[in-house]
Amino acid sequence: MMKARASSTLFTAIVLGVDATTYPVGLSNCGVKSWVNEAPKRAVTMNQGTTEMMLGLGLVDHMVGTAYLDDAIWPEVEEDFNKIPILSDAYPDIDTLMSVDPDFLYASYRSAFQAKTPEHEERIDYFDVVEGESCSLLVSNARGNYTYCREELHAEGIQTYLQSPHCELEEHRPDEVTLHTLYEEIWEIAMIFDAFDKALQLIDNIEAHFRAATKIV
């Protein structure tokens, strides 16, 4: 099997008969490129949406922490959710985050990878972990200046993934968020963790929920 590079859709994987990941996996997520050499073993989910995605893919055994629960957890994954340490009600501070030795950070919002600066004291102090006194992605807009540290985290052996509707740069966000957007993310996480069977099951589950809702309407 050839080295796997994350495709644009799960459909491609099905057509090509891809049923297992061959590492390393090349990934481009929100414009940040990296190689994943093996399935992460110590993932931390930084927001509820990514927590439920991991659990929906049956990846609880790859998780060492979660954070920022802002609603009731999806009942279908609640049992597994209760097995995971909750690091913080919001974003954890850097010491708490590093205490679980993560090798993968998975977030719904770009703020999860924003570095603490004098202008943004509430963010995570990634400069305690990454080399140097700055990170490479600097974004300025009418609301202020923002520093993001994903490439630097990769250099430290901590892979990252950010949901595409909230990419750091607007140019990398989808023009429209649809089911295709969700399924593409499921495909890419399945590729990273070698979880294709679970990905197909999750998509079937999602489709079944939509069919049931359509019947009710």
Side-chain angles (χ1 to χ4, degrees), residues 135-157:
C135 291
S136 57
L137 183 52
L138 307 177
V139 178
S140 298
N141 56 39
R143 292 178 293 178
N145 302 307
Y146 305 86
T147 303
Y148 300 98
C149 294
R150 294 180 59 206
E151 289 189 3
E152 288 73 19
L153 287 167
H154 291 177
E156 298 296 331

Side-chain angles (χ1 to χ4, degrees), residues 7-12 164 174 176-187 203 207:
S7 174
S8 59
T9 64
L10 183 62
F11 176 76
T12 304
S164 63
E176 182 181 8
V177 178
T178 65
L179 270 180
H180 173 88
T181 312
L182 174 63
Y183 291 166
E184 184 176 74
E185 179 180 344
I186 291 172
W187 155 246
I203 289 175
E207 295 285 350

Side-chain angles (χ1 to χ4, degrees), residues 10 22 97:
L10 183 62
T22 297
L97 182 58

Side-chain angles (χ1 to χ4, degrees), residues 85-153:
I86 299 174
L87 303 182
S88 175
D89 293 333
Y91 290 135
D93 61 49
I94 193 65
D95 291 335
T96 301
L97 182 58
M98 291 299 108
S99 72
V100 296
D101 191 23
D103 59 5
F104 184 75
L105 301 180
Y106 182 16
S108 298
Y109 305 108
R110 55 189 174 274
S111 55
F113 300 115
Q114 183 186 339
K116 180 179 180 180
T117 62
E119 190 177 357
H120 299 283
E121 289 284 350
E122 76 282 5
R123 298 307 181 206
I124 300 173
D125 195 359
Y126 286 119
F127 296 137
D128 273 2
V129 176
V130 302
E131 186 174 344
E133 298 181 356
S134 184
C135 291
S136 57
L137 183 52
L138 307 177
V139 178
S140 298
N141 56 39
R143 292 178 293 178
N145 302 307
Y146 305 86
T147 303
Y148 300 98
C149 294
R150 294 180 59 206
E151 289 189 3
E152 288 73 19
L153 287 167

Side-chain angles (χ1 to χ4, degrees), residues 3 20 24 37 51 63 67 70 73 76 82 85 94 97 101-102 107 111 138 140 146 179 191 195 202:
K3 291 181 180 179
N37 293 319
T51 300
M63 299 174 67
D70 49 22
I73 199 74
E76 295 185 30
N82 291 331
I94 193 65
L97 182 58
D101 191 23
S111 55
L138 307 177
S140 298
Y146 305 86
L179 270 180
M191 178 76 83
L202 178 57

